[in-house]
Amino acid sequence: PAHASAVTRLGRTLLFAGRSGAGKSTASALAVEAGWHKLQDDLCFLEGGRLQEAVDWSAPSTRRPVGGVDLTGLVILVQAREDKLALLTHREAVSRMGPLWGPPAPLPVAEWLMRMERELALLPVYELRFRKHVSFARALEAIPRLNRK
């Protein structure tokens, strides 16, 4: 599972991942203000490049199926002094997502890492560095696959 929030609009679904306090909930709220719909705000289970299940931390025993929603991409949020959106290589994506993907139990660590690498290979992964007052709608539209009809 990825510690991420998920939003969707017009058949496009994005995950926002980041460390605690990185702005996942804020990103979801800003995306909703920009016309997106929130699917999840806590923990997302991926399989085959699709969002399969979601878990709310306030009720961790409740796993909610979301029907295998195709993912457009994953955006790793990093608070920084500048606004910058970059498409990551697979190696960079694995490196940045490692601490945000888990926990490995009950799987052996090697299998857990293989699953994470396999899932990240199936979708574009971006890093969005942003200041507190980023124009979030503009940043979302900068992601190339979101501009396709």
Side-chain angles (χ1 to χ4, degrees), residues 38-50:
K38 184 168 82 169
L39 291 175
Q40 181 55 21
D41 207 22
D42 288 323
L43 191 61
C44 299
F45 288 81
L46 313 181
E47 186 176 323
R50 301 172 66 113

Side-chain angles (χ1 to χ4, degrees), residues 78-84 128-133:
V78 179
Q79 292 186 16
R81 294 180 184 197
E82 62 185 357
D83 298 341
K84 181 180 178 186
L128 176 60
R129 294 182 165 275
F130 65 98
R131 293 171 288 168
K132 188 175 179 181
H133 301 292

Side-chain angles (χ1 to χ4, degrees), residues 12-13 25 38 53-54 62 73 86 90 94 105 111 132 140-141:
R12 296 171 177 103
T13 301
S25 297
K38 184 168 82 169
E53 289 183 296
T62 307
H90 180 65
V94 168
E111 184 178 342
K132 188 175 179 181
L140 287 178
E141 293 305 322

Side-chain angles (χ1 to χ4, degrees), residues 1-135:
H3 187 194
S5 60
V7 295
T8 189
R9 181 180 75 179
L10 302 173
R12 296 171 177 103
T13 301
L14 280 179
L15 294 183
F16 297 116
R19 297 188 183 277
S20 182
K24 296 175 296 297
S25 297
T26 301
S28 291
L30 291 169
V32 167
E33 286 179 17
W36 292 70
H37 302 281
K38 184 168 82 169
L39 291 175
Q40 181 55 21
D41 207 22
D42 288 323
L43 191 61
C44 299
F45 288 81
L46 313 181
E47 186 176 323
R50 301 172 66 113
L51 176 61
Q52 299 292 343
E53 289 183 296
V55 175
D56 186 343
W57 283 118
S58 63
S61 62
T62 307
R63 292 176 88 161
R64 180 173 52 90
V66 292
V69 176
D70 286 329
L71 295 173
T72 303
L74 185 143
V75 180
I76 299 172
L77 303 171
V78 179
Q79 292 186 16
R81 294 180 184 197
E82 62 185 357
D83 298 341
K84 181 180 178 186
L85 178 70
L87 178 62
L88 300 178
T89 66
H90 180 65
R91 177 173 281 181
E92 291 169 330
V94 168
S95 172
R96 304 248 197 339
M97 277 302 294
L100 310 174
W101 199 280
L107 297 175
V109 173
E111 184 178 342
W112 170 74
L113 288 170
M114 278 191 340
R115 285 187 179 191
M116 179 188 69
E117 287 182 6
R118 186 173 54 236
E119 288 302 324
L120 292 177
L122 296 173
L123 61 147
V125 179
Y126 299 87
E127 181 177 75
L128 176 60
R129 294 182 165 275
F130 65 98
R131 293 171 288 168
K132 188 175 179 181
H133 301 292
V134 66
S135 172

